[in-house]
C-alpha cells in the first residue's frame, strides 16, 4: 500500500529532520493513527517529493527525510477551468475532481445566473475551504504541485486579465465541436475551458466572451450538469491532446 502523503509548506531538504506543522501532525497522529517508524512522503508544492520516516515526541510529529524523488504527475499541457459558480456545495466536488484530472487552475466565476453569491468573510472562508480541498486531493491522487484556486470574480473581470493559450466556452449551440477545434491546434501548450452555472451564461456574458476572442464549442449531443461538464471537458482535452 502506498505511503501516506502530506503537503508540508516548509523548505524540504534530503536528510533533514522536519518538525511537522500542528495541523499535519494532528491529522497523521490522531486521525490516521500513524505510529513512529512508519514511512510517509512529504511534498511542498515545488515539485517532487521526499520519502520520510515518521518520528513522534508526545503530541509533536517529525519527519526524517530521505533522498529527493523527482516524480511528477502533471499533465503535459496546462488546463485552466473557469467555472460558473454552481449552487450549494457542488464547487467542492468540481475542485476535488479537477485536481485529480490534472487541472493547473480553477477560476470560479460569479456569473449573472449563479445562485451562489459570496462576499466579505464568507467569500474568504469559502476560498480557503476550496484551497484545502485542493491540497487534500493532491495528497490523495499523487500530485506534487498544488492546483491554484482563485477567488471568485465576474466574467468581465476575468476576461480583462491575461489568459494562457486557447480559450474555449462550452455551449450546446456552438458551430464547432471540441474535437475539431483541438485538431486544428496541434502542439498547444495551454488551454482554458469556460463552463457556465446551472442556468448557463447570460446573453450579455456570451457577448463579452465573444468580443474577447473566446471561442464557443459544443461537446456531444447531451446536456451535462455544470458540475459534470467541466470535468468531462478536462478528461476529453487530456485524451484528445495526448496529455
Amino acid at each position: 500500500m502506498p505511503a501516506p502523503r502530506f503537503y508540508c509548506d516548509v523548505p524540504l531538504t534530503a536528510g533533514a529532520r522536519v518538525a511537522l506543522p500542528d495541523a499535519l501532525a494532528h491529522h497523521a497522529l490522531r486521525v490516521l493513527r500513524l505510529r513512529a517508524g512508519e514511512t510517509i512522503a512529504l511534498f511542498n508544492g515545488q515539485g517532487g517529493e521526499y520519502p520520510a520516516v515518521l518520528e513522534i515526541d508526545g503530541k509533536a510529529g517529525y519527519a526524517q527525510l530521505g533522498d529527493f524523488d523527482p516524480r511528477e504527475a502533471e499533465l503535459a499541457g496546462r488546463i485552466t477551468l473557469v467555472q460558473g459558480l454552481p449552487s450549494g456545495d457542488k464547487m467542492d466536488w468540481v475542485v476535488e475532481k479537477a485536481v485529480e484530472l490534472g487541472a493547473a487552475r480553477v477560476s470560479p466565476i460569479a456569473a449573472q445566473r449563479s445562485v451562489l453569491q459570496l462576499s466579505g468573510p464568507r467569500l474568504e472562508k469559502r476560498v480557503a475551504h476550496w484551497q484545502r480541498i485542493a491540497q487534500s486531493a493532491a495528497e490523495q491522487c499523487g500530485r506534487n504541485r498544488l492546483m491554484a484556486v482563485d477567488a471568485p470574480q465576474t466574467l468581465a473581470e476575468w476576461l480583462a486579465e491575461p489568459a494562457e493559450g486557447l480559450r474555449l466556452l462550452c455551449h450546446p449551440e456552438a458551430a464547432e465541436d471540441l474535437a475539431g477545434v483541438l485538431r486544428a491546434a496541434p502542439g498547444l501548450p495551454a488551454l482554458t475551458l469556460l463552463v457556465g452555472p446551472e442556468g448557463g451564461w447570460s446573453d450579455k456574458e456570451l457577448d463579452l466572451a465573444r468580443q474577447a476572442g473566446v471561442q464557443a464549442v459544443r461537446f456531444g449531443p447531451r446536456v451535462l450538469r455544470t458540475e459534470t461538464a467541466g470535468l468531462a471537458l478536462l478528461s476529453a482535452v487530456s485524451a484528445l491532446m495526448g496529455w
Side-chain angles (χ1 to χ4, degrees), residues 1-39:
M1 188 171 179
R5 304 177 67 254
F6 300 99
Y7 171 69
C8 189
D9 190 17
V10 300
L12 301 176
T13 306
R17 185 174 186 259
V18 176
L20 302 181
D22 291 343
L24 194 163
H26 174 81
H27 183 65
L29 306 185
R30 302 289 177 262
V31 179
L32 298 182
R33 299 185 180 279
L34 299 180
R35 299 181 179 277
E38 292 198 53
T39 299

Side-chain angles (χ1 to χ4, degrees), residues 177-199:
D177 67 3
L178 176 69
V181 170
L182 294 182
R183 279 196 296 270
L188 193 68
L191 181 144
T192 300
L193 301 168
L194 288 80
V195 175
E198 283 91 347

Side-chain angles (χ1 to χ4, degrees), residues 5 43 73-75 79 81 91-106 130-149 231 234:
R5 304 177 67 254
F43 67 101
E74 300 302 300
L75 298 181
I79 302 178
L81 174 61
M91 195 68 190
D92 293 7
W93 165 269
V94 171
V95 168
E96 180 182 80
K97 301 311 172 187
V99 172
E100 293 179 22
L101 293 170
R105 178 178 296 273
V106 167
W130 291 331
Q131 291 171 340
R132 287 193 297 271
I133 289 175
Q135 173 186 317
S136 178
E139 293 174 341
Q140 180 275 325
C141 76
R143 290 182 67 175
N144 286 322
R145 297 179 187 272
L146 297 185
M147 183 187 78
V149 182
L231 303 176
L234 268 167

Side-chain angles (χ1 to χ4, degrees), residues 93-164:
W93 165 269
V94 171
V95 168
E96 180 182 80
K97 301 311 172 187
V99 172
E100 293 179 22
L101 293 170
R105 178 178 296 273
V106 167
S107 297
I109 298 296
Q112 292 182 358
R113 293 176 179 169
S114 288
V115 175
L116 181 65
Q117 297 292 335
L118 301 169
S119 62
R122 186 164 173 246
L123 182 149
E124 294 174 3
K125 289 181 180 178
R126 190 63 66 93
V127 173
H129 172 67
W130 291 331
Q131 291 171 340
R132 287 193 297 271
I133 289 175
Q135 173 186 317
S136 178
E139 293 174 341
Q140 180 275 325
C141 76
R143 290 182 67 175
N144 286 322
R145 297 179 187 272
L146 297 185
M147 183 187 78
V149 182
D150 299 325
Q153 55 187 328
T154 67
L155 183 62
E157 290 170 334
W158 182 83
L159 289 170
E161 298 178 354
E164 289 186 282

